[in-house]
């Protein structure tokens, strides 16, 4: 039987919790992950109605994009919808799991779903993050280097963009002298040893450090392998905020807005002054993305699609770009499809259902 933790483990391999923003609260919010899974309900937001929907289906896991417990709870008295929703989940023994900014920040996550809806070509992360990559440097006897590298690759090292099994290798001489308490793979106690070794360097996501080091220790022939780990400031092109890509063909601004409205199933678009040129390069960010406007302008996007701009922030378009504010819910609603597609592709023996509850707190007339 599939357990709830099996689903969580898979999701967190796709969107590691380490990639969520500091203010976020993604992860398991209520319930026992060791319980057997009866079914998955996928929603954008957690509300009392969604809890009741899961109960009626007999499902014990709800996966939401937005965490219902966000700023912390000091009491559970049912005084507001957050407390009531959490209380119902606990009463019905339903696990609540949120996959929020970590899903925003990965390639093929929330923002790439928008790019897919708009059929953008060559989508890339708009603002790649730095400080997430590390480099392992170690020294291995020449005869053992392939085995060690193979183990490191399996543990998640050596991936750079579309390339895998990436490493740097340089041959040299390693020296050491075992003492009488050592159990050396090469050499004898109290005798200097000189070994032809390969210096290997591999890059890896920082959150994988424990398993990378474990893979090195397990595969390395030495009792005490020497290694260094360096924090890199390189941009991680697989992780970051927003997306940017191009339309198949340039469009007049008015035609593009109609296209956007149709593809994203929108009722309303708020937009800044349309510019004279055509729309070709498109930047987007699900949810509140005004912090990325400067990135969209720097990369010469013709339009920036996002939500939650305040009145005076629209002036920051400054005749350089068109801001298209499509609404928070509307910019992220297809995240539900993304999560369902991921689970259905990787689990053939579990029920995964999109919530039928429209959790958008805003209506239009």
């Amino acid at each position: 039987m599939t357990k709830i933790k099996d689903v969580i483990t898979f999701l967190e391999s796709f969107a590691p919790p380490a990639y969520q923003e500091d203010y976020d609260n993604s992860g398991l919010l209520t319930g026992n992950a060791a319980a057997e899974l009866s079914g998955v309900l996928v929603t954008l937001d957690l509300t009392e109605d969604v809890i009741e929907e899961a109960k009626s289906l007999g499902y014990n896991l709800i996966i939401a994009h937005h965490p219902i417990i966000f700023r912390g709870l000091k009491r559970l008295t049912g005084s507001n919808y957050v407390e009531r929703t959490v209380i119902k989940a606990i009463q019905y023994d339903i696990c609540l799991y949120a996959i929020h900014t970590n899903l925003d920040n990965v390639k093929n996550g929330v923002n790439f779903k928008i790019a897919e809806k708009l059929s953008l070509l060559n989508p890339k992360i708009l603002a790649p993050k730095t400080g997430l990559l590390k480099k392992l440097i170690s020294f291995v006897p020449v005869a053992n280097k392939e085995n060690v590298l193979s183990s490191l690759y399996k543990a998640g090292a050596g991936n750079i963009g579309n390339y895998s099994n990436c490493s740097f290798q340089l041959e040299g001489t390693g020296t050491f002298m075992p003492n009488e308490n050592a159990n050396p793979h090469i050499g004898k106690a109290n005798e200097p040893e000189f070994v032809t070794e390969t210096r290997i360097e591999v890059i890896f996501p920082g959150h994988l450090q424990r398993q990378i080091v474990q893979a090195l220790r397990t595969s390395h022939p030495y009792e005490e392998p020497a290694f260094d780990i360096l924090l890199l400031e390189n941009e991680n092109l697989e992780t970051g905020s927003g997306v940017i890509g191009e339309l198949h063909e340039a469009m007049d601004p008015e035609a593009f807005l109609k296209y956007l409205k149709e593809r994203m199933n929108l009722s309303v678009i708020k937009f800044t002054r349309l510019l004279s040129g055509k729309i070709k390069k498109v930047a987007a960010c699900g949810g509140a993305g005004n912090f990325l406007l400067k990135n969209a302008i720097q990369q010469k996007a013709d339009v920036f699609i996002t939500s939650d701009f305040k009145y005076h922030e629209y002036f920051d378009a400054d005749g350089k770009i068109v801001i298209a504010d499509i609404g928070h819910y509307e910019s992220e609603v297809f995240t539900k499809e993304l999560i369902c597609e991921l689970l259905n592709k990787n689990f053939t023996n579990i029920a995964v259902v999109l919530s039928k509850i429209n959790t958008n707190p805003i209506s239009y007339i």
Side-chain angles (χ1 to χ4, degrees):
M1 293 292 292
T2 301
K3 296 186 181 296
I4 289 171
K5 65 181 179 182
D6 298 328
V7 173
I8 292 174
T9 298
F10 164 72
L11 289 174
E12 293 185 350
S13 69
F14 181 83
Y19 291 163
Q20 69 177 304
E21 300 296 336
D22 292 341
Y23 61 79
D24 200 9
N25 192 37
S26 294
L28 184 65
L29 305 178
T30 70
N32 177 16
E36 291 185 359
L37 180 70
S38 59
V40 182
L41 183 66
V42 181
T43 182
L44 191 67
D45 306 284
L46 287 161
T47 66
E48 294 172 82
D49 289 340
V50 174
I51 304 297
E52 293 290 351
E53 183 182 17
K55 181 177 183 291
S56 70
L57 291 168
Y59 293 175
N60 63 348
L61 174 61
I62 302 176
I63 298 173
H65 184 47
H66 295 135
I68 185 74
I69 302 174
F70 195 68
R71 296 181 178 88
L73 291 173
K74 294 185 177 180
R75 57 186 59 85
L76 286 170
T77 62
S79 63
N80 56 53
Y81 90 95
V82 173
E83 293 179 14
R84 291 192 298 272
T85 300
V86 173
I87 289 171
K88 278 194 173 184
I90 294 172
Q91 287 175 334
Y92 297 158
D93 200 17
I94 295 173
C95 287
L96 304 181
Y97 182 83
I99 183 166
H100 189 209
T101 53
N102 49 326
L103 190 58
D104 291 332
N105 285 335
V106 293
K107 187 176 181 180
N108 298 321
V110 173
N111 298 305
F112 280 70
K113 189 64 177 178
I114 297 174
E116 177 188 313
K117 288 291 178 181
L118 298 178
S119 298
L120 298 186
L121 298 172
N122 303 315
K124 299 178 181 177
I125 289 175
L126 178 60
K129 289 185 176 294
T130 61
L132 295 177
L133 295 173
K134 293 185 177 182
K135 179 187 285 188
L136 171 73
I137 303 172
S138 189
F139 309 87
V140 189
V142 174
N144 302 98
K145 69 176 182 179
E146 293 303 329
N147 181 53
V148 171
L149 283 169
S150 177
S151 295
L152 293 173
Y153 298 151
K154 288 178 182 177
N159 297 311
I160 303 176
N162 294 322
Y163 297 85
S164 61
N165 294 14
C166 301
S167 72
F168 175 79
Q169 303 177 31
L170 181 67
E171 194 169 295
T173 301
T175 66
F176 54 87
M177 184 171 68
N179 64 25
E180 59 275 6
N181 297 316
N183 182 27
H185 175 73
I186 299 173
K188 297 179 180 180
N190 300 315
E191 292 185 12
E193 190 67 34
F194 299 83
V195 182
T196 301
E197 296 178 337
T198 301
R199 173 189 172 115
I200 59 172
E201 300 183 13
V202 288
I203 199 169
F204 64 93
H207 69 276
L208 298 180
Q209 178 170 327
R210 179 177 294 181
Q211 64 196 61
I212 295 295
V213 172
Q214 179 62 32
L216 175 69
R217 292 189 182 279
T218 301
S219 60
H220 202 292
Y222 288 175
E223 187 177 20
E224 294 290 346
F227 64 92
D228 300 313
I229 292 179
L230 308 179
L231 177 64
L232 304 180
E233 288 302 319
N234 304 49
E235 290 184 339
N236 185 346
L237 300 181
E238 305 293 311
T239 309
S241 304
V243 69
I244 188 165
E246 294 189 351
L247 297 170
H248 287 262
E249 294 183 2
M251 303 174 69
D252 291 328
E254 295 87 350
F256 173 77
L257 291 175
K258 291 179 181 177
Y259 175 79
L260 174 63
K261 189 173 183 180
E262 176 187 350
R263 286 298 186 99
M264 298 295 290
N265 193 27
L266 305 174
S267 299
V268 175
I269 302 176
K270 295 191 292 183
F271 57 93
T272 55
R273 178 170 61 89
L274 299 181
L275 306 180
S276 58
K278 290 182 178 290
I279 302 292
K280 177 67 173 178
K281 186 176 286 190
V282 177
C285 177
N290 63 315
F291 69 101
L292 290 173
L293 178 61
K294 61 182 182 299
N295 300 85
I297 292 173
Q298 287 170 356
Q299 296 192 41
K300 301 189 182 303
D302 301 306
V303 63
F304 180 40
I305 303 162
T306 188
S307 71
D308 298 354
F309 266 77
K310 296 179 181 179
Y311 176 79
H312 288 97
E313 292 171 343
Y314 285 100
F315 287 102
D316 293 332
D318 199 23
K320 300 173 183 176
I321 197 170
V322 175
I323 296 170
D325 188 329
I326 64 175
H328 198 119
Y329 177 88
E330 291 80 3
S331 71
E332 294 184 325
V333 66
F334 296 109
T335 302
K336 296 191 296 183
E337 288 184 10
L338 169 63
I339 295 170
C340 278
E341 289 165 2
L342 287 170
L343 293 180
N344 285 325
K345 182 178 179 180
N346 289 274
F347 293 90
T348 58
N349 61 334
I350 65 174
V352 182
V353 173
L354 283 173
S355 173
K356 296 180 181 178
I357 307 297
N358 181 346
T359 61
N360 192 355
I362 301 170
S363 298
Y364 305 97
I365 189 171

